[in-house]
Amino acid sequence: MHILKLIIKNALRHKLRTSLTVLGLVVATLSFGLLQTVVGAWYAGADAASNTRLVTRNAISLVFPLPLSYENRIRGIDGVTGIAYANWFGGIYQDPKNFFPQFAISGKSYLDLFPEFVVPEAERSAFLRDRKGCLVGRKLATQYGFKPGDIIPIKGTIFPGQWEFVVRGIYDGKEASTDTSQLFFHWQYLNERMLQTAPRRGNQVGFYMVQIGNPDNAAAISRALDAQFENSLAETLTETEKAFQLGFVSMSEAIVVAIRVVSFVVIVIIMAVMANTMAMSVRERLAEYATLKALGFGPGFLAALIFGESLLISLAGAALGIALLFPVAAAFSAQMGTLFPVFKIAPQTLALQAASAVAVGLIAAIAPTVRSARINIVEGLRSIG
Amino acid sequence: MKIPFSYIARNLWTRRLTTALTAGGLALVVFVFATVLMLDEGLKKTLVTTGEYDNVVMIRRAAETEVQSGVERPQAAIAASHPVIALNHEGVPMVSRETVVLIALNKRGTDKPANVVIRGVSPMGLELRPQVKLVAGRMFRPGSSEIIAGNNITKRFAGAGIGEALRFGQREWTVVGVFDAGNSGFDSEIWGDADQLMQAFRRVAFSSVIVRLDNSDHFDSFKKNIEGDQRLTLEAKREQTFYADQSKALSTFIGILGMTLSIIFSIGAMIGAMITMYASVANRVTEIGTLRALGFKRRAILTAFLMESLLLAAVGGVAGLFFASFMQFLSFSTVNFQSFSELAFGFTLNPEIAAKSLAFALVMGFVGGFLPAVRAARMKIVDSLRAA
């Protein structure tokens, strides 16, 4: 009990130094947590993927379409319980920097395949009835103030021309991890215009979403599906939705790795600051340690004092940093808008923050402890800090 | 009357461990800062050197990249017959009608696919881009299923080495050559015969038309002609601008991310420097009193402590920059958000970045050392002499 009192008193001896160190730890813990959350946001699409959905696309690459006629052939494969299709539209709303995903979807079948997009019944049927209608996600609607009845003008890049969609409903996510930053409109509407303006590009589908009954058969069904279209003009590549999403992540893997590395660099920086603080404290107290030793306290007691103080400071900083992470992450997410559709703090992140704080506290105390243990009593009493 | 520099330097030397820890923290921050700047510079350099200033790229209006664009044959013919287009030494107009598509290839040793640009060029395509040189093998024969691969592609993708074959569009394509495009974006592409590739992909339209102007000044009138022509739905850009525009999103992203990180990290490092300098002042109260008693002015004391902090930062800055300079041996490959294809680029260090990094370190040293130096300068002579 006495030792705890002593540790706290020691930590408060240099109020300015201790508070600066704690502040540094707060900044480090906070930025570490934020960076980990950013990395997590990168994987959000893959985490939210269902294991009973497959994605079928053109084997050459995503920029090549598949014929509409594949729909019935895929439906006939054993184990397939549902199918929908969509096209990536990639248009521009007002300015290229207002990026958000737009998909031309196969109406009801697509919505049935994605139960995580929750639309009120009335809005859903309004969307299905209106060929020029569209559904927008909650996050997207909040960012640009879209309301049902609004007209969203979008400039086509892949599908040339000016397009207008009427907002017929706003969907919410069933889970916190559901991406609600997308716009869905009717593939029929897109197809009609393509048939008029560029007939060769009509009746083409960007990718098929295939629902399967049993996730254990995903590999077998994917193989059977791709075998159907082997050596045709449009060969297919089928993989689980998760693998498909991870494919996107792996494209920018270098950036993710860099963020990860950097988030650990910040821990190393703060370790240097913390070690420095402890080294100074110990250097100033050499005379005291010598006195304690002369009184008969062993090196274990000194070690407990130093480690205790180091851990106390690092954990205080980490606790503040973790507490601040929540409001900062919320503000960051609001600032980033649809760039990070899903931005939530994972429990692992908090555990990592706490663990790194403990590690910083322990490592920072090692060198000073060794030094205090080595003091020769006479030398120490001579020392003047 | 100034306090001698040797006194300042020896103070840092006396507290070696503390100096090393503080400088180490500063060095890490400078390292991150410099690395981000180098990466951004590398990206810009890669994409700017991709374009020739006097080449003009024409793509379909509103398409942002060649992959999204489509230029019908009649339109390509009209654009290619414009009078300001340069002729080569044989009197042939310098025009290349190109088709650009993305194919998914697996990286060597993994099953992770990435999108690679495959460009169908006409024979003039190479002449329009003098920086592209064959370094191994030979040129593809027009009218055959042969392709040549860029340096970065050969290194990183399965099946893209010389003598290997890639399968797409119901055919086997043999890699017969490797080209080096002087670290430009073309190094991350595969080239083949435009007509053959269009056949294989069942395309009827080109993606872009590239022409060389006979005179740089003709660009504005050429652009006005092409974009004002009722028969055409094209827009014209200088090749350099075209590629620089394609780096905007990625460059902005790297820039924002890097600056945010540097600012957050610098707070940590400045706190470290501040702690060190405060301790340095607290430990030397008597010394400061003695110096004042000897007749050194408050200003001299302030300068001495600021100098000490700046010297500490300079050591950290130089160390950070030293380690950052080794990053030039690495290359970085990621997907370019705008063209949706793999792009490899390096870290480029130039004097400007070195100066910026060192200035950044000195600013951190100044901010961290200012308050402690003020405290040292404001001490009362009598009190500080008593402190011992």
Side-chain angles (χ1 to χ4, degrees):
Chain A
M1 208 54 245
H2 283 298
I3 191 165
L4 200 62
K5 237 185 195 157
L6 198 52
I7 287 171
I8 294 173
K9 279 239 171 1
N10 265 341
L12 294 176
R13 258 157 77 169
H14 267 285
K15 287 196 179 54
L16 178 71
R17 182 191 301 164
T18 304
S19 50
L20 279 175
T21 311
V22 169
L23 181 64
L25 277 155
V26 169
V27 171
T29 319
L30 183 61
S31 53
F32 176 79
L34 206 54
L35 288 171
Q36 289 290 337
T37 312
V38 167
V39 171
W42 226 274
Y43 286 91
D47 291 342
S50 147
N51 56 0
T52 59
R53 287 196 294 253
L54 306 177
V55 181
T56 299
R57 54 177 160 139
N58 192 307
I60 302 173
S61 78
L62 258 176
V63 298
F64 287 89
L66 293 168
L68 181 63
S69 56
Y70 282 15
E71 185 191 0
N72 287 328
R73 291 178 63 186
I74 296 175
R75 201 191 296 278
I77 292 170
D78 268 345
V80 171
T81 56
I83 180 163
Y85 48 88
N87 254 352
W88 170 263
F89 185 69
I92 295 172
Y93 172 65
Q94 291 173 344
D95 188 279
K97 59 172 198 294
N98 300 341
F99 170 83
F100 57 87
Q102 305 114 26
F103 289 98
I105 61 168
S106 58
K108 184 174 177 306
S109 59
Y110 194 89
L111 293 179
D112 288 346
L113 225 61
F114 286 88
E116 60 262 49
F117 298 139
V118 185
V119 198
E121 200 46 53
E123 292 185 352
R124 182 181 159 127
S125 53
F127 163 69
L128 292 177
R129 275 199 307 273
D130 182 0
R131 188 150 284 198
K132 282 182 76 175
C134 73
L135 286 176
V136 294
R138 177 71 56 194
K139 189 154 187 166
L140 182 63
T142 318
Q143 182 166 355
Y144 296 106
F146 296 142
K147 300 181 303 296
D150 286 359
I151 291 178
I152 304 179
I154 295 200
K155 191 172 91 177
T157 54
I158 305 169
F159 303 95
Q162 276 297 344
W163 302 73
E164 284 184 347
F165 308 115
V166 187
V167 180
R168 287 294 170 210
I170 293 174
Y171 69 85
D172 284 292
K174 192 182 253 174
E175 314 281 337
S177 59
T178 309
D179 178 356
T180 59
S181 70
Q182 306 172 344
L183 180 152
F184 298 119
F185 65 97
H186 289 281
W187 181 88
Q188 280 296 358
Y189 176 46
L190 175 78
N191 197 41
E192 272 167 26
R193 266 189 61 176
M194 290 326 288
L195 285 171
Q196 284 165 7
T197 53
R200 284 181 54 92
R201 297 183 63 191
N203 297 334
Q204 299 283 334
V205 168
F207 56 90
Y208 286 98
M209 294 301 294
V210 180
Q211 176 92 48
I212 53 174
N214 181 355
D216 300 338
N217 300 339
I221 294 174
S222 302
R223 269 198 302 274
L225 203 160
D226 290 341
Q228 277 266 358
F229 306 107
E230 217 159 305
N231 296 324
S232 68
L233 276 183
E235 294 186 323
T236 59
L237 171 66
T238 306
E239 52 191 358
T240 60
E241 192 187 2
K242 196 181 195 81
F244 176 76
Q245 295 282 4
L246 283 174
F248 283 107
V249 178
S250 76
M251 285 181 197
S252 49
E253 201 168 29
I255 294 178
V256 178
V257 170
I259 296 179
R260 278 223 164 105
V261 168
V262 159
S263 67
F264 286 100
V265 167
V266 72
I267 299 293
V268 176
I269 292 177
I270 208 64
M271 215 174 257
V273 171
M274 184 79 214
N276 189 10
T277 300
M278 290 317 294
M280 282 179 194
S281 302
V282 170
R283 196 169 42 230
E284 286 163 11
R285 297 176 199 160
L286 283 180
E288 278 170 47
Y289 294 145
T291 313
L292 285 169
K293 274 189 164 174
L295 291 172
F297 287 103
F301 180 79
L302 292 186
L305 270 188
I306 298 168
F307 271 93
E309 185 179 347
S310 183
L311 280 172
L312 180 71
I313 294 176
S314 67
L315 287 176
L320 273 173
I322 291 173
L324 278 174
L325 177 61
F326 291 90
V328 171
F332 182 83
S333 173
Q335 202 63 43
M336 283 290 160
T338 49
L339 191 65
F340 289 126
V342 177
F343 198 75
K344 59 181 223 294
I345 300 163
Q348 298 95 302
T349 303
L350 302 179
L352 269 175
Q353 283 175 298
S356 59
V358 171
V360 166
L362 291 177
I363 292 172
I366 293 172
T369 307
V370 170
R371 196 171 165 188
S372 73
R374 283 206 193 126
I375 320 175
N376 156 330
I377 296 179
V378 179
E379 282 293 305
L381 288 171
R382 276 206 196 114
S383 138
I384 44 169
Chain B
M1 187 64 195
K2 284 196 11 211
I3 294 174
F5 186 76
S6 58
Y7 168 81
I8 295 167
R10 281 170 65 185
N11 270 319
L12 288 178
W13 187 243
T14 313
R15 298 174 182 72
R16 280 187 289 277
L17 176 66
T18 292
T19 301
L21 286 171
T22 316
L26 287 161
L28 272 174
V29 178
V30 172
F31 174 79
V32 171
F33 180 80
T35 305
V36 169
L37 287 180
M38 283 161 67
L39 192 61
D40 196 27
E41 186 62 27
L43 170 68
K44 286 197 177 112
K45 196 173 136 191
T46 294
L47 280 163
V48 167
T49 52
T50 303
E52 280 286 306
Y53 188 68
D54 285 347
N55 285 359
V56 178
V57 179
M58 285 174 275
I59 56 171
R60 192 191 66 219
R61 219 170 283 158
E64 297 183 301
T65 58
E66 287 169 286
V67 171
Q68 295 173 349
S69 151
V71 182
E72 305 288 336
R73 283 176 190 268
Q75 290 201 24
I78 295 168
S81 61
H82 201 281
V84 303
I85 294 174
L87 305 178
N88 72 351
H89 55 279
E90 290 168 1
V92 183
M94 298 184 76
V95 176
S96 179
R97 300 173 176 84
E98 304 192 340
T99 182
V100 176
V101 295
L102 298 179
I103 56 171
L105 293 182
N106 285 347
K107 294 196 172 165
R108 283 189 196 279
T110 67
D111 53 355
K112 285 183 178 159
N115 287 322
V116 175
V117 169
I118 178 150
R119 179 184 296 275
V121 294
S122 28
M124 197 58 80
L126 270 163
E127 229 174 298
L128 278 166
R129 298 173 178 106
Q131 76 272 41
V132 176
K133 308 230 180 342
L134 277 172
V135 287
R138 57 178 173 83
M139 186 63 190
F140 61 84
R141 279 195 304 263
S144 68
S145 300
E146 292 177 350
I147 48 179
I148 54 174
N151 238 339
N152 290 327
I153 299 293
T154 299
K155 265 186 272 186
R156 293 200 327 263
F157 287 92
I162 256 186
E164 294 182 282
L166 295 172
R167 190 182 159 72
F168 53 84
Q170 292 181 300
R171 287 196 213 172
E172 291 273 334
W173 302 76
T174 319
V175 182
V176 296
V178 175
F179 64 87
D180 176 311
N183 286 333
S184 67
F186 295 132
D187 278 321
S188 304
E189 294 185 357
I190 295 175
W191 287 15
D193 180 87
D195 289 324
Q196 290 302 313
L197 285 167
M198 279 168 72
Q199 274 298 331
F201 293 128
R202 301 295 187 283
R203 296 216 157 185
V204 290
F206 296 107
S207 303
S208 57
V209 179
I210 289 93
V211 302
R212 169 76 53 84
L213 297 175
D214 56 0
N215 180 339
S216 206
D217 305 339
H218 286 152
F219 173 72
D220 291 331
S221 64
F222 178 76
K223 184 179 167 79
K224 221 166 76 189
N225 267 340
I226 292 289
E227 291 178 5
D229 194 323
Q230 290 295 322
R231 298 164 299 173
L232 304 179
T233 52
L234 303 180
E235 58 181 328
K237 271 185 185 168
R238 281 190 189 276
E239 199 176 24
Q240 237 173 41
T241 326
F242 177 77
Y243 283 104
D245 285 351
Q246 292 205 353
S247 69
K248 259 191 199 139
L250 192 56
S251 168
T252 311
F253 176 79
I254 291 175
I256 290 177
L257 187 72
M259 284 311 105
T260 316
L261 292 178
S262 298
I263 288 167
I264 293 175
F265 285 15
S266 67
I267 295 174
M270 283 190 279
I271 288 172
M274 213 182 260
I275 292 171
T276 303
M277 291 312 295
Y278 267 128
S280 179
V281 173
N283 284 331
R284 282 150 52 192
V285 172
T286 330
E287 276 178 45
I288 296 168
T290 315
L291 287 168
R292 292 290 318 280
L294 288 173
F296 285 105
K297 293 267 178 300
R298 281 179 196 276
R299 181 168 310 167
I301 304 281
L302 182 81
T303 317
F305 276 92
L306 262 184
M307 285 295 293
E308 191 174 320
S309 169
L310 288 174
L311 186 64
L312 186 68
V315 170
V318 170
L321 202 56
F322 172 76
F323 288 112
S325 66
F326 287 103
M327 296 297 284
Q328 289 178 105
F329 296 112
L330 298 179
S331 84
F332 189 90
S333 70
T334 182
V335 67
N336 182 355
F337 304 148
Q338 273 154 301
S339 60
F340 194 52
S341 59
E342 179 86 4
L343 181 70
F345 47 100
F347 295 83
T348 307
L349 184 60
N350 61 19
E352 191 196 352
I353 291 175
K356 268 188 187 164
S357 307
L358 289 177
F360 181 62
L362 292 177
V363 166
M364 284 195 289
F366 183 85
V367 174
F370 186 72
L371 289 174
V374 168
R375 175 186 276 196
R378 287 176 54 187
M379 283 186 182
K380 294 198 175 67
I381 299 178
V382 180
D383 293 350
S384 47
L385 284 173
R386 242 188 232 137

